[in-house]
Amino acid sequence: MQLELILDQPGLTISYDHDNEWLYVNWQGAHDPVSSRQCCLAMLDVMRQRPTAKILNDNSNITSTTVKLTEWSLNWLQDMYEAGLRYLAWIYAPVFPGRNSTEAIVQYLERPTVASFDDVATAFNWLRRQSSTVPRH
């Protein structure tokens, strides 16, 4: 994997994977709703600067979280779609209290397609199988 570092801030690193033509977003440490929202906005900024159809969203390095999907989250996903995102492979944090409610919502999302995983390898393989065409506006 040839990664180009785009953003490195506390709790979040975003790189571009040249081999796979997607963003690799690595979340680290503890996150609450405020830090999660800030990181999501950083992701959106990167997407607007460097549109890509796919994101490997790795939460496996999160040590604790109190985050749940909200209306804000769904609006953010729509903004990400408008910026070019078509497929998001979401690797869950090892301990994620909101998992059941999140999975109930994620399965009904149409745009972008969001799939959740317990490990990086499975998410990586799923994301590689998805079409990578980014619509031009």
Side-chain angles (χ1 to χ4, degrees):
M1 231 179 2
Q2 180 185 357
L3 297 178
E4 174 191 345
L5 183 63
I6 296 172
L7 177 76
D8 188 5
Q9 67 181 40
L12 186 74
T13 302
I14 301 176
S15 302
Y16 184 75
D17 181 334
H18 286 274
D19 294 339
N20 293 296
E21 300 179 335
W22 67 47
L23 292 177
Y24 174 64
V25 179
N26 185 11
W27 296 67
Q28 307 101 25
H31 284 277
D32 60 20
V34 172
S35 67
S36 293
R37 200 173 272 201
Q38 290 170 340
C39 289
C40 286
L41 290 173
M43 287 174 67
L44 181 58
D45 286 343
V46 168
M47 274 294 296
R48 287 179 173 154
Q49 294 168 22
R50 194 162 190 164
T52 181
K54 300 178 185 181
I55 292 179
L56 184 62
N57 189 52
D58 186 356
N59 290 189
S60 64
N61 295 309
I62 289 179
T63 55
S64 69
T65 184
T66 57
V67 175
K68 294 181 181 166
L69 276 184
T70 63
E71 185 176 341
W72 186 91
S73 310
L74 298 176
N75 290 333
W76 170 79
L77 279 168
Q78 183 59 44
D79 290 342
M80 293 289 283
Y81 180 84
E82 290 170 9
L85 180 65
R86 296 300 175 261
Y87 301 99
L88 179 86
W90 180 2
I91 300 115
Y92 283 135
V95 176
F96 183 42
R99 180 180 181 136
N100 290 341
S101 62
T102 297
E103 286 183 353
I105 294 169
V106 164
Q107 70 180 337
Y108 294 106
L109 293 176
E110 292 181 18
R111 301 182 327 181
T113 300
V114 177
S116 56
F117 302 90
D118 289 314
D119 64 277
V120 174
T122 306
F124 181 95
N125 290 330
W126 175 84
L127 197 56
R128 285 196 75 176
R129 290 191 305 267
Q130 309 311 308
S131 170
S132 62
T133 305
V134 179
R136 301 289 173 220
H137 301 302

